[in-house]
Amino acid sequence: MKIAWSLRSFHAIFTPIRYAARAAQVKRMLYGPFGQESLLYFHQLYNDGGIMRSLIVYFLLFNIIILSSQEINDITLIKEKMVAPTIYEEARINYNNGNEYLQKDDLINAEKCFLKAIEIDPQFIDAFDHLGLVYRRQNRYLEAEAIYRKSIELNPKNSVPYINLSVLLKIQNRFEEARQTYLKVIEFEPDNPEPYYGIGWLYFHTRMYKESIAYLNTAIEKYISIESIYVYDAFHLLGYSYYYLNEWEQSLKCLTIAKEYYKDDKSIEKIIKELSSKIE
């Protein structure tokens, strides 16, 4: 059975059009119903990594929404404190240039910029994380791993490099190492849904469906608490976990929820029809 791409799959095929379509959602996160806590919430989403982090970087760098003067002031503050957290202006410029090259899939120039940013500021954690992504896309796994571990060394309580490292280990089928890395995130950041989803994914792909279900349900609770669109990924995988355990009703329920996001996915439509017939 073919399982549809997750939201995370789109991180590998970044295009301005796709991310511009999500810009309004990011703006709602900033200026929606979160009041004085909106910037802190935004910071949490940024630190989650993955597609939301890239979307936020793109949104901040290119200002693809028409902003009020107050919003511009807030965005400027966020740029200074989060998108390029370094006191060195030249490092910031190289980092931002590297992001632009990364969005264009110009990995050679992106690497040069991130390396220059790190040369100027050896403590520039975000530059390390983005350089690791460049190496990962180039299949330079040993170099990517070294970069992520260096980032962890610089800040052992930053979840981003741990999660990036876990993804890298999964790519290499180093599943137990990936699981242990996710568990470290849970130790110091227990409300972050990503490690629970990651472990759920690992158990699913090793056919340990009962274990997968436990972690995916926890991930769903935590995604819902921060209103993250990643919750659809978790429902998607959870639905297939129940499917392989022949728990048809639970599978149908989860995949029906996932279908709200994967509207054009024919494979989910097919399995939902199959499940509906089984239940009848």
Side-chain angles (χ1 to χ4, degrees), residues 80-255:
E80 292 175 354
K81 292 191 174 181
M82 291 193 294
V83 176
T86 176
I87 63 173
Y88 300 99
E89 183 62 24
E90 189 178 352
R92 190 193 322 278
I93 291 170
N94 276 279
Y95 173 80
N96 288 340
N97 288 341
N99 276 323
E100 292 189 38
Y101 284 123
L102 192 57
Q103 315 314 337
K104 298 173 184 176
D105 207 32
D106 185 346
L107 301 182
I108 293 176
N109 281 314
E111 177 186 2
K112 292 177 181 178
C113 290
F114 293 135
L115 284 171
K116 184 63 177 178
I118 291 168
E119 178 185 340
I120 298 167
D121 182 359
Q123 306 296 312
F124 198 166
I125 295 173
D126 278 21
F128 277 100
D129 293 335
H130 283 66
L131 179 61
L133 176 58
V134 169
Y135 289 155
R136 195 173 84 203
R137 288 187 181 180
Q138 294 175 322
N139 299 325
R140 296 161 63 180
Y141 296 150
L142 289 177
E143 292 166 278
E145 182 173 347
I147 287 294
Y148 291 144
R149 293 194 185 280
K150 178 61 178 178
S151 181
I152 290 170
E153 179 185 324
L154 290 171
N155 184 357
K157 299 300 183 182
N158 178 19
S159 63
V160 173
Y162 285 97
I163 292 171
N164 284 334
L165 177 59
S166 297
V167 171
L168 179 68
L169 294 170
K170 287 194 299 185
I171 292 172
Q172 301 174 82
N173 294 323
R174 295 161 62 182
F175 288 166
E176 180 56 26
E177 291 176 77
R179 189 179 73 88
Q180 291 298 328
T181 305
Y182 280 129
L183 287 173
K184 289 178 182 177
V185 178
I186 293 174
E187 288 178 8
F188 66 83
E189 206 170 283
D191 291 329
N192 187 336
E194 280 301 304
Y196 299 96
Y197 175 85
I199 294 175
W201 186 99
L202 289 168
Y203 280 133
F204 178 87
H205 286 272
T206 51
R207 300 183 179 181
M208 299 173 68
Y209 302 120
K210 290 183 179 179
E211 292 82 357
S212 176
I213 287 169
Y215 276 93
L216 290 171
N217 273 317
T218 301
I220 286 170
E221 291 176 8
K222 296 183 184 298
Y223 281 134
I224 290 174
S225 72
I226 61 172
E227 301 186 5
S228 170
I229 59 171
Y230 280 178
V231 70
Y232 294 107
D233 272 359
F235 273 117
H236 182 221
L237 201 56
L238 183 61
Y240 281 103
S241 296
Y242 281 125
Y243 179 88
Y244 288 121
L245 290 175
N246 297 330
E247 296 187 29
W248 311 130
E249 291 186 4
Q250 291 282 20
S251 178
L252 179 60
K253 177 182 176 181
C254 294
L255 290 176

Side-chain angles (χ1 to χ4, degrees), residues 259-275:
K259 179 62 179 171
E260 293 179 18
Y261 191 88
Y262 298 94
K263 295 183 184 297
D264 299 322
D265 189 285
K266 302 301 181 183
S267 63
I268 291 185
E269 287 184 6
K270 182 178 179 181
I271 195 68
I272 285 176
K273 288 181 181 178
E274 177 189 337
L275 288 167

